[in-house]
Amino acid sequence: MSHRIPTPSVPAPDIVRCAYMEIVVTDLARSREFYVDVLGLHVTEENDDAIYLRSLEEFIHHNLVLRKGPLAAVAAFAYRVRSPAEVDAAEAYYRELGCRTERRAEGFTKGVGDSVRVEDPLGFPYEFFYDVEHVERLTQRYDLYSAGELVRLDHFNQVTPDVPRGRAYLEDLGFRVSEDIQDSDGVTYAVWMHRKQTVHDTALTGGNGPRMHHVAFATHEKHNIIQICDKMGALRISDRIERGPGRHGVSNAFYLYILDPDGHRIEIYCQDYYTGDPDNPTITWDVHDNQRRDWWGNAVVPSWYTEASLVLDLDGNPQPVTERDERSEQAVTVGADGFSYTRRDDGGAPAEGFKLGTQL
């Protein structure tokens, strides 16, 4: 187990929410077809090298940047902070941690002003910004509304070898824990953490990392997600549906996981819950509760545990991937036949201690 990341003496930046992700794609035209024509994200601006996309309810310039490059990877997990002064706070915070930082008054992407990017202690490229170009919020543009409309950027999910180390670091940064997955030995397999008043702005999944597990967009209702499945089937790209649709136990959300042309994983997500009260309880799931990942008890496909996107350093080079030392969630919950064996009565799980009736 690696050492705890020190807590800086200077205040952490006041983070409002996850705001956008910048991903590198190898074929910009194919990616545009996927994100715009299939998923219906709205183009704010585009050129030969990048496409800036936003969801229906967004008023800032973009929630997703597709940037053309030679290697599919993630260039930035970007968070909006509460004021311009908080960009200064972020820069000071990470400098004290000894992390590499880069500040650009003109921003790193179109539509975003003064920003700082950092290589954080877990190896992820984080960005913090306040100044942004406002664009039309399309909430009442019903002429543009599709049956599978994506309305908000909801969260990131990051793969890291040492989840407790990452959890303590993000708690120092001001994130609060909504849910986690542990076992009776105290091994933590995943944790969900938030700044806005939902289940998470980011999650840490235990595995080889740093890598990006997924970026998630919310819909209004689950029928929007079913429409996306129907559309992908009609377009004969159902092989890009990796997992779902289904209902998570963790977060309670209705979900779908799909893969873009480069293999970046996108979650479509709705119906989680409010977490804004200061005494909002943390829900801990036993790793052997077969309903934690899928409320209906469906098995998790192995690729969901093993595949993820590389992340880049500030020079655009892939960060080296470190293997997880502790046992993996897949190893303790998925049998050789690819199916979960941790049901209540099969010997793989305790008779008591599950969420239903004990944590809510």
Side-chain angles (χ1 to χ4, degrees):
M1 206 53 130
S2 47
H3 65 279
R4 191 189 192 283
I5 296 164
T7 302
S9 62
V10 297
D14 187 356
I15 298 167
V16 175
R17 59 171 171 130
C18 64
Y20 81 87
M21 178 173 280
E22 181 181 352
I23 64 174
V24 180
V25 299
T26 58
D27 187 325
L28 199 58
R30 285 186 68 204
S31 293
R32 189 189 196 284
E33 184 178 74
F34 179 82
Y35 286 100
V36 178
D37 298 341
V38 177
L39 293 185
L41 285 171
H42 301 276
V43 177
T44 302
E45 194 170 347
E46 60 185 320
N47 55 44
D48 291 341
D49 297 313
I51 304 173
Y52 300 84
L53 303 171
R54 72 185 191 275
S55 50
L56 186 85
E57 296 182 356
E58 189 56 79
F59 70 91
I60 71 171
H61 187 269
H62 55 263
N63 298 130
L64 185 68
V65 180
L66 309 177
R67 178 163 58 81
K68 184 171 64 175
L71 177 70
V74 177
F77 300 72
Y79 294 94
R80 195 162 194 218
V81 294
R82 198 164 299 278
S83 71
E86 299 302 325
V87 181
D88 297 329
E91 185 175 33
Y93 190 86
Y94 282 96
R95 281 184 173 174
E96 186 171 325
L97 281 173
C99 296
R100 182 182 173 189
T101 67
E102 183 178 344
R103 182 84 172 259
R104 292 188 187 177
E106 74 281 8
F108 293 84
T109 64
K110 288 189 175 183
V112 174
D114 184 27
S115 311
V116 62
R117 284 192 177 180
V118 307
E119 294 173 11
D120 87 347
L122 305 181
F124 291 95
Y126 268 18
E127 176 181 316
F128 302 92
F129 71 95
Y130 174 79
D131 291 328
V132 69
E133 179 184 334
H134 286 206
V135 294
E136 180 188 5
R137 177 177 266 160
L138 301 172
T139 310
Q140 294 181 325
R141 287 295 307 274
Y142 294 107
D143 54 318
L144 301 178
Y145 191 97
S146 71
E149 191 70 39
L150 307 184
V151 296
R152 288 183 301 279
L153 174 69
D154 191 83
H155 62 267
F156 309 136
N157 189 303
Q158 307 169 232
V159 185
T160 189
D162 189 338
V163 174
R165 181 171 183 258
R167 174 180 183 158
Y169 150 65
L170 287 177
E171 286 180 314
D172 284 346
L173 196 55
F175 286 80
R176 295 170 57 201
V177 177
S178 57
E179 307 199 22
D180 63 12
I181 296 175
Q182 299 186 29
D183 65 17
S184 58
D185 295 326
V187 175
T188 301
Y189 297 86
V191 61
W192 285 255
M193 309 188 74
H194 65 94
R195 287 294 299 172
K196 65 182 185 307
Q197 297 177 345
T198 64
V199 170
H200 54 324
D201 286 271
T202 197
L204 300 178
T205 293
N208 302 339
R211 294 183 297 163
M212 187 274 285
H213 191 274
H214 66 263
V215 58
F217 287 88
T219 64
H220 281 145
E221 298 290 345
K222 58 182 178 289
H223 66 77
N224 303 121
I225 293 176
I226 294 169
Q227 164 62 20
I228 293 171
C229 294
D230 283 340
K231 185 175 184 179
M232 293 179 72
L235 294 171
R236 295 292 178 173
I237 55 171
S238 59
D239 59 313
R240 308 309 291 169
I241 298 174
E242 181 189 32
R243 183 179 167 211
R247 172 79 66 184
H248 282 312
V250 175
S251 83
N252 191 59
F254 198 81
Y255 71 85
L256 173 71
Y257 294 96
I258 57 179
L259 303 174
D260 83 355
D262 285 292
H264 295 304
R265 183 181 289 109
I266 312 300
E267 182 182 16
I268 317 298
Y269 180 97
C270 69
Q271 299 182 337
D272 64 346
Y273 58 89
Y274 168 79
T275 59
D277 283 17
D279 57 348
N280 181 73
T282 297
I283 296 172
T284 294
W285 293 77
D286 190 300
V287 73
H288 296 294
D289 185 339
N290 196 49
Q291 293 181 246
R292 73 199 183 285
R293 291 292 190 183
D294 186 279
W295 186 244
W296 307 334
N298 292 321
V300 180
V301 295
S303 64
W304 194 89
Y305 283 121
T306 59
E307 301 300 318
S309 298
L310 295 172
V311 301
L312 303 178
D313 64 19
L314 297 186
D315 294 319
N317 300 311
Q319 289 279 29
V321 174
T322 300
E323 292 190 7
R324 177 175 166 89
D325 290 331
E326 291 190 295
R327 52 187 177 266
S328 70
E329 185 176 351
Q330 181 185 19
V332 301
T333 61
V334 178
D337 59 0
F339 291 96
S340 173
Y341 57 84
T342 53
R343 295 183 185 274
R344 183 184 297 273
D345 299 321
D346 67 0
E352 301 296 337
F354 291 95
K355 174 174 181 279
L356 190 62
T358 65
Q359 303 229 11
L360 292 181

